[in-house]
Amino acid sequence: MAEGAMLFRRFAGDSRPVLVNGTVGILNAPAGQDPRSVTGFTVVDGRITGMYILADPERLARLDLSALPAA
């Protein structure tokens, strides 16, 4: 899990918190560009127990991000 997360650390400056399926997540999207990834977390008893990263450009393009405030 940590190895996968480390691959996306270069996008940290373009990240912002969002809700992913009703829970905490991170959207990686440089201003004015398409999203590069979205990461959702499963939190149990205050600890992260799962991390799910979606970085497939075709699937990201299908996400409805219209409700998100501009970066």
Side-chain angles (χ1 to χ4, degrees):
M1 176 168 51
E3 295 85 15
M6 294 301 288
L7 291 173
F8 291 91
R9 71 179 181 262
R10 67 179 181 267
F11 302 127
D14 299 317
S15 299
R16 57 190 167 123
V18 294
L19 288 179
V20 176
N21 295 327
T23 189
V24 66
I26 298 172
L27 174 68
N28 295 308
Q33 296 183 26
D34 291 335
R36 296 203 174 140
S37 69
V38 66
T39 304
F41 300 94
T42 300
V43 179
V44 177
D45 295 328
R47 299 178 61 97
I48 296 173
T49 59
M51 182 184 311
Y52 309 94
I53 301 171
L54 173 62
D56 176 24
E58 290 181 20
R59 290 180 63 195
L60 286 167
R62 293 192 302 256
L63 294 178
D64 179 11
L65 302 175
S66 62
L68 296 177

